Amino acid sequence: MRVLLTGSSGWLGRFLAPALQAAGHQVIGIDVAPGEHTQVVGSVANSELVKRTFLNFEVEAVIHAGALHKPDIVRQTTQSFIDVNLTGTLNLLTSAIESGVDRFVFTSTTSVMISQAIRTEQGTAAVWLDERSGPLEPRNIYGVTKLAAEGLCRDAFLKHGLPCIVLRTSRFFPEDDDTHGIPSGENLKANELLYRRATVEDMADAHILALECAPKIGFDIFIISAPTPFTREDVTDLKLDAASVVERCFPGASTLYALRGWTLPKTIGRIYDPSRAEQVLGFRAGIDFAAVLEALEQGNELPFAHDPTYLPPHADFSFATAG
């Protein structure tokens, strides 16, 4: 298929584009920044550009992975978030419907499920989050616009029959966290694979599966993250003493961590449950926390990307890959 991929110059795009090509698809990349897999340089907020792209490249499917995301809040206006994340999504959906496209995959974010209370970890137990969680009260303009864009996808399916799959992706960025400094770097990313992260390679695989399954599913929403070793019965213990729960699930984990100078999480306030994506899409992340421990034990390279110098591609009117 000829697949229009937005955010093709970003972190996810640089992995997803070649994965799509390896699966036999032709990729038409659109991004505000030039890149190896970007044929169209411009913003999805430009409706005329979007229409011309669909017409000129005879687009057959869409993966909409481009967006302004959370770190952009400090450098972009609220209106820019609305223009890119919301109007841009509407432009793509409109052209997809007019062009007879038969599948649309939207890269959303687990941030749409994180209220201020969850963000500040209020309460006496960790919050178990799945696709039924609610009410949804996103805490910033990033989450607000991504949730509204999910609604546009749902509306496009209900009114026009456009099959749309929404993927609420957990963390997969390579740079350091912009709000959490302790533990930092690789230690934090390893910990997050327990409950709120996946590798970018696994994220790319999830998108390809969603693209394949969209016509038979119609519309649905899936959380995409590495499988958690925890159960709902662990939520109180995870809030009080997460390290003990991790050690119970993975005997010897604390010793392997200590040898590297790392620390297990003291408390965990939320857990993303990706099990429904496995049940319906057949997707299960290949890299999880067990893979990290195996790498530590064998002295191998860590199975996830970490690059504190990474900066998303930007232009005067930028959008980076979601996550």
Side-chain angles (χ1 to χ4, degrees):
M1 287 183 293
R2 290 182 293 277
V3 182
L4 179 64
L5 172 63
T6 72
S8 51
S9 298
W11 178 245
L12 177 58
R14 70 175 63 177
F15 290 86
L16 182 48
L20 284 165
Q21 292 168 342
H25 302 297
Q26 177 184 341
V27 177
I28 303 105
I30 180 170
D31 201 307
V32 292
E36 179 183 357
H37 304 289
T38 298
Q39 290 79 39
V40 180
V41 177
S43 172
V44 293
N46 184 334
S47 61
E48 291 303 317
L49 176 68
V50 171
K51 289 178 183 178
R52 288 199 305 271
T53 300
F54 272 79
L55 179 63
N56 293 342
F57 291 92
E58 299 180 334
V59 173
E60 296 176 298
V62 177
I63 297 181
H64 181 23
L68 286 175
H69 65 159
K70 183 171 75 70
D72 290 309
I73 291 174
V74 300
R75 50 183 175 254
Q76 297 287 347
T77 65
T78 295
Q79 187 62 54
S80 293
F81 273 84
I82 293 171
D83 292 342
V84 175
N85 291 2
L86 197 53
T87 303
T89 302
L90 179 60
N91 290 339
L92 290 162
L93 289 166
T94 299
S95 287
I97 292 164
E98 293 175 349
S99 302
V101 164
D102 72 345
R103 62 197 75 196
F104 191 106
V105 177
F106 175 57
T107 310
S108 189
T109 169
T110 49
S111 289
V112 303
M113 301 185 292
I114 306 305
S115 64
Q116 188 60 28
I118 295 175
R119 169 70 177 82
T120 55
E121 298 192 357
Q122 300 174 17
T124 58
V127 179
W128 192 273
L129 294 164
D130 62 20
E131 293 83 356
R132 297 168 297 179
S133 298
L136 300 182
E137 300 173 340
R139 69 191 186 278
N140 54 38
I141 190 61
Y142 171 55
V144 167
T145 52
K146 295 297 276 189
L147 181 59
E150 288 186 7
L152 291 176
C153 292
R154 180 184 289 105
D155 185 65
F157 171 70
L158 293 176
K159 288 187 177 179
H160 303 282
L162 174 63
C164 292
I165 301 297
V166 173
L167 301 182
R168 289 180 180 167
T169 59
S170 65
R171 293 181 163 200
F172 59 90
F173 54 78
E175 64 266 37
D176 284 328
D177 191 297
D178 62 338
T179 55
H180 296 84
I182 302 174
S184 62
E186 295 171 333
N187 189 171
L188 179 60
K189 286 182 172 64
N191 289 353
E192 288 176 340
L193 279 169
L194 288 161
Y195 61 100
R196 63 178 303 189
R197 176 172 285 275
T199 67
V200 66
E201 294 88 350
D202 279 331
M203 289 297 182
D205 289 344
H207 281 74
I208 293 174
L209 272 174
L211 191 72
E212 295 171 352
C213 295
K216 67 180 179 182
I217 291 177
F219 176 84
D220 214 333
I221 296 173
F222 300 97
I223 292 173
I224 304 298
S225 193
T228 180
F230 308 130
T231 68
R232 292 177 185 268
E233 287 69 37
D234 294 323
V235 293
T236 300
D237 290 342
L238 285 169
K239 190 65 180 292
L240 294 174
D241 186 4
S244 294
V245 181
V246 175
E247 185 66 23
R248 186 174 73 230
C249 294
F250 301 97
S254 57
T255 300
L256 289 172
Y257 260 47
L259 290 173
R260 198 177 179 98
W262 286 3
T263 58
L264 290 170
K266 295 179 180 179
T267 181
I268 291 175
R270 73 186 81 159
I271 302 99
Y272 299 139
D273 179 359
S275 59
R276 191 165 177 275
E278 183 172 0
Q279 296 163 5
V280 180
L281 289 179
F283 170 77
R284 182 180 176 88
I287 298 299
D288 56 11
F289 187 71
V292 173
L293 295 182
E294 181 179 357
L296 292 177
E297 185 174 23
Q298 297 182 1
N300 294 335
E301 183 178 350
L302 292 170
F304 56 81
H306 173 65
D307 181 3
T309 67
Y310 175 80
L311 292 173
H314 286 287
D316 291 337
F317 188 47
S318 65
F319 62 94
T321 52

